């Protein structure tokens, strides 16, 4: 057991992105990278995102925001520093539109969304406090998600709706 501790570098929070000695921007970047890859498309994946957020559960979202990338500034001068243990970091999303789950419909809305993400220290870790946004999933991942749903769907009318959704997602720019 003692030998195992020798292999772990001391003082870096065991390499955890959200350790207090890391930049809070790393927490925001990691969280939205996982979201972009569809981590919140599966209800069982909350454990993956749980270490980065202060909330314990999320609502059932009726829509998924489809994005074509996002940016998180590393430069602290672009943040609002509330105090040494709390910052607000601006995040910018390139929105393509939204998928509404109840209708399997895509509503295009090519825009830039700017969100201010509040990050605070809890214990020895940075965590996102707010806002709680609906999933912001990348276009390619959303297409793969719809493709998989089509393969699993047994009802022909639902499969047709998913094929239409897939076509609409491909056209989004």
């Amino acid at each position: 057991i003692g030998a195992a501790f020798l292999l772990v570098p001391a003082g870096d929070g065991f390499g955890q992105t959200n350790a207090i000695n890391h930049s809070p921007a790393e927490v925001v970047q990691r969280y939205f990278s996982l979201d972009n890859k569809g981590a919140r498309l599966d209800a069982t994946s909350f454990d993956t995102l749980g270490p980065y957020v202060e909330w314990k559960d999320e609502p059932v979202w009726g829509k998924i925001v489809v994005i074509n990338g996002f940016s998180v500034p590393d430069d602290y001068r672009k943040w609002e520093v509330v105090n040494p243990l709390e910052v607000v970091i601006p995040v910018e999303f390139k929105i393509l539109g939204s998928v509404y789950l109840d209708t399997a419909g895509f509503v295009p809305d090519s825009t830039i969304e700017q969100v201010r993400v509040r990050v605070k220290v809890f214990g020895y870790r940075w965590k996102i406090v707010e806002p709680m946004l609906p999933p912001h999933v990348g276009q390619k991942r959303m297409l793969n998600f719809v493709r998989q749903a089509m393969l699993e769907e047994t009802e022909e009318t639902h499969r047709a709706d998913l094929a239409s959704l897939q076509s609409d997602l491909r056209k989004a720019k």
Side-chain angles (χ1 to χ4, degrees):
I1 295 174
F5 286 112
L6 294 175
L7 298 175
V8 178
D12 70 349
F14 296 100
Q16 293 192 10
T17 305
N18 63 338
I20 195 169
N21 61 340
H22 287 255
S23 166
E26 289 180 42
V27 173
V28 176
Q29 178 70 38
R30 182 72 175 141
Y31 176 79
F32 286 116
S33 290
L34 290 167
D35 196 23
N36 181 53
K37 293 174 183 173
R40 295 196 296 160
L41 292 175
D42 179 7
T44 61
S45 65
F46 185 76
D47 290 342
T48 304
L49 297 168
Y52 302 105
V53 296
E54 180 53 22
W55 54 86
K56 302 300 178 219
D57 50 66
E58 288 192 43
V60 176
W61 299 101
K63 75 173 185 175
I64 296 168
V65 179
V66 182
I67 65 172
N68 187 21
F70 67 96
S71 63
V72 178
D74 286 332
D75 186 353
Y76 72 90
R77 292 172 292 193
K78 295 181 180 177
W79 309 344
E80 176 190 336
V81 178
V82 178
N83 62 52
L85 303 176
E86 181 177 355
V87 297
V88 178
I89 300 174
V91 178
E92 189 171 281
F93 295 95
K94 294 176 187 165
I95 306 291
L96 297 174
S98 296
V99 171
Y100 290 86
L101 300 175
D102 56 342
T103 62
F106 177 71
V107 176
D109 184 22
S110 182
T111 186
I112 301 295
E113 177 185 35
Q114 295 178 340
V115 177
R116 295 169 41 84
V117 178
R118 184 172 301 277
V119 186
K120 289 174 118 177
V121 171
F122 291 89
Y124 295 100
R125 308 243 182 269
W126 289 105
K127 290 193 173 201
I128 297 171
V129 178
E130 61 180 6
M132 189 184 302
L133 301 172
H136 281 55
V137 179
Q139 181 181 23
K140 183 177 178 182
R141 175 62 183 106
M142 196 65 212
L143 281 165
N144 289 336
F145 182 75
V146 171
R147 185 178 307 119
Q148 184 63 38
M150 287 171 60
L151 292 172
E152 295 172 2
E153 184 56 58
T154 57
E155 201 170 312
E156 191 59 39
T157 57
H158 290 151
R159 230 187 342 255
D161 290 343
L162 290 168
S164 176
L165 173 59
Q166 185 179 43
S167 174
D168 291 345
L169 281 169
R170 281 194 178 124
K171 294 175 196 171
K173 293 188 191 245

mmCIF file of all heavy atoms in Angstrom, residues 5 15 35 39 55 65 68 78 112 121 129-130 154 162:
data_model
loop_
_atom_site.group_PDB
_atom_site.id
_atom_site.type_symbol
_atom_site.label_atom_id
_atom_site.label_comp_id
_atom_site.label_asym_id
_atom_site.label_seq_id
_atom_site.Cartn_x
_atom_site.Cartn_y
_atom_site.Cartn_z
ATOM 1 N N PHE A 5 1.309 4.916 -2.832
ATOM 2 C CA PHE A 5 1.327 6.352 -2.572
ATOM 3 C C PHE A 5 2.559 7.016 -3.179
ATOM 4 O O PHE A 5 2.521 8.174 -3.528
ATOM 5 C CB PHE A 5 1.252 6.643 -1.073
ATOM 6 C CG PHE A 5 -0.110 6.401 -0.501
ATOM 7 C CD1 PHE A 5 -0.328 5.366 0.392
ATOM 8 C CD2 PHE A 5 -1.184 7.193 -0.866
ATOM 9 C CE1 PHE A 5 -1.585 5.127 0.922
ATOM 10 C CE2 PHE A 5 -2.445 6.972 -0.347
ATOM 11 C CZ PHE A 5 -2.645 5.934 0.546
ATOM 12 N N GLY A 15 -4.411 14.923 -9.293
ATOM 13 C CA GLY A 15 -4.620 15.183 -10.699
ATOM 14 C C GLY A 15 -6.057 15.514 -11.076
ATOM 15 O O GLY A 15 -6.397 15.535 -12.232
ATOM 16 N N ASP A 35 -20.422 17.420 -21.694
ATOM 17 C CA ASP A 35 -21.782 17.697 -22.154
ATOM 18 C C ASP A 35 -21.824 17.693 -23.684
ATOM 19 O O ASP A 35 -22.718 17.115 -24.292
ATOM 20 C CB ASP A 35 -22.248 19.042 -21.595
ATOM 21 C CG ASP A 35 -23.751 19.246 -21.694
ATOM 22 O OD1 ASP A 35 -24.505 18.250 -21.774
ATOM 23 O OD2 ASP A 35 -24.179 20.411 -21.680
ATOM 24 N N ALA A 39 -22.707 13.449 -22.573
ATOM 25 C CA ALA A 39 -22.718 12.788 -21.264
ATOM 26 C C ALA A 39 -24.072 12.881 -20.569
ATOM 27 O O ALA A 39 -24.419 12.009 -19.782
ATOM 28 C CB ALA A 39 -21.628 13.365 -20.360
ATOM 29 N N TRP A 55 -25.074 20.905 -7.765
ATOM 30 C CA TRP A 55 -26.407 20.329 -7.641
ATOM 31 C C TRP A 55 -26.348 18.803 -7.639
ATOM 32 O O TRP A 55 -25.420 18.206 -8.165
ATOM 33 C CB TRP A 55 -27.353 20.854 -8.724
ATOM 34 C CG TRP A 55 -26.883 20.702 -10.134
ATOM 35 C CD1 TRP A 55 -27.043 19.621 -10.945
ATOM 36 C CD2 TRP A 55 -26.194 21.679 -10.928
ATOM 37 N NE1 TRP A 55 -26.491 19.854 -12.182
ATOM 38 C CE2 TRP A 55 -25.965 21.109 -12.199
ATOM 39 C CE3 TRP A 55 -25.750 22.979 -10.686
ATOM 40 C CZ2 TRP A 55 -25.316 21.798 -13.219
ATOM 41 C CZ3 TRP A 55 -25.103 23.646 -11.704
ATOM 42 C CH2 TRP A 55 -24.896 23.068 -12.944
ATOM 43 N N VAL A 65 -30.034 21.303 -26.693
ATOM 44 C CA VAL A 65 -29.465 22.359 -27.519
ATOM 45 C C VAL A 65 -28.316 21.745 -28.317
ATOM 46 O O VAL A 65 -27.419 21.125 -27.746
ATOM 47 C CB VAL A 65 -28.969 23.540 -26.652
ATOM 48 C CG1 VAL A 65 -28.351 24.630 -27.514
ATOM 49 C CG2 VAL A 65 -30.108 24.095 -25.804
ATOM 50 N N ASN A 68 -22.242 23.758 -32.162
ATOM 51 C CA ASN A 68 -21.104 23.536 -33.041
ATOM 52 C C ASN A 68 -19.870 24.133 -32.367
ATOM 53 O O ASN A 68 -19.137 24.896 -32.957
ATOM 54 C CB ASN A 68 -21.353 24.177 -34.409
ATOM 55 C CG ASN A 68 -20.273 23.841 -35.402
ATOM 56 O OD1 ASN A 68 -19.567 22.864 -35.243
ATOM 57 N ND2 ASN A 68 -20.134 24.660 -36.425
ATOM 58 N N LYS A 78 -10.807 38.111 -18.024
ATOM 59 C CA LYS A 78 -12.110 38.073 -18.695
ATOM 60 C C LYS A 78 -13.204 37.548 -17.762
ATOM 61 O O LYS A 78 -14.361 37.509 -18.137
ATOM 62 C CB LYS A 78 -12.030 37.210 -19.944
ATOM 63 C CG LYS A 78 -11.105 37.801 -20.998
ATOM 64 C CD LYS A 78 -11.048 36.953 -22.225
ATOM 65 C CE LYS A 78 -10.118 37.596 -23.239
ATOM 66 N NZ LYS A 78 -9.974 36.782 -24.439
ATOM 67 N N ILE A 112 -25.298 32.813 -31.363
ATOM 68 C CA ILE A 112 -24.253 32.706 -30.342
ATOM 69 C C ILE A 112 -24.933 32.914 -28.995
ATOM 70 O O ILE A 112 -25.635 33.901 -28.794
ATOM 71 C CB ILE A 112 -23.147 33.767 -30.543
ATOM 72 C CG1 ILE A 112 -22.477 33.632 -31.907
ATOM 73 C CG2 ILE A 112 -22.128 33.697 -29.402
ATOM 74 C CD1 ILE A 112 -21.697 32.342 -32.108
ATOM 75 N N VAL A 121 -15.648 27.398 -4.593
ATOM 76 C CA VAL A 121 -14.902 26.347 -3.910
ATOM 77 C C VAL A 121 -15.788 25.718 -2.844
ATOM 78 O O VAL A 121 -16.404 26.420 -2.036
ATOM 79 C CB VAL A 121 -13.609 26.904 -3.278
ATOM 80 C CG1 VAL A 121 -12.951 25.860 -2.390
ATOM 81 C CG2 VAL A 121 -12.652 27.370 -4.359
ATOM 82 N N VAL A 129 -21.857 26.251 -9.773
ATOM 83 C CA VAL A 129 -23.029 26.492 -8.943
ATOM 84 C C VAL A 129 -24.253 26.803 -9.812
ATOM 85 O O VAL A 129 -25.351 26.345 -9.533
ATOM 86 C CB VAL A 129 -22.766 27.646 -7.956
ATOM 87 C CG1 VAL A 129 -23.984 27.943 -7.118
ATOM 88 C CG2 VAL A 129 -21.576 27.331 -7.079
ATOM 89 N N GLU A 130 -24.046 27.610 -10.837
ATOM 90 C CA GLU A 130 -25.128 27.997 -11.741
ATOM 91 C C GLU A 130 -24.541 28.504 -13.040
ATOM 92 O O GLU A 130 -23.361 28.854 -13.073
ATOM 93 C CB GLU A 130 -26.029 29.059 -11.100
ATOM 94 C CG GLU A 130 -25.309 30.339 -10.767
ATOM 95 C CD GLU A 130 -26.215 31.383 -10.130
ATOM 96 O OE1 GLU A 130 -27.381 31.097 -9.843
ATOM 97 O OE2 GLU A 130 -25.732 32.501 -9.950
ATOM 98 N N THR A 154 -38.825 0.280 -32.906
ATOM 99 C CA THR A 154 -39.569 -0.794 -33.573
ATOM 100 C C THR A 154 -40.787 -0.269 -34.339
ATOM 101 O O THR A 154 -41.256 -0.916 -35.262
ATOM 102 C CB THR A 154 -40.041 -1.847 -32.549
ATOM 103 O OG1 THR A 154 -40.834 -1.191 -31.546
ATOM 104 C CG2 THR A 154 -38.851 -2.537 -31.900
ATOM 105 N N LEU A 162 -37.664 10.000 -36.659
ATOM 106 C CA LEU A 162 -36.233 10.073 -36.353
ATOM 107 C C LEU A 162 -35.405 10.288 -37.623
ATOM 108 O O LEU A 162 -34.410 11.020 -37.604
ATOM 109 C CB LEU A 162 -35.786 8.811 -35.617
ATOM 110 C CG LEU A 162 -36.302 8.675 -34.182
ATOM 111 C CD1 LEU A 162 -36.046 7.271 -33.644
ATOM 112 C CD2 LEU A 162 -35.668 9.724 -33.280
#
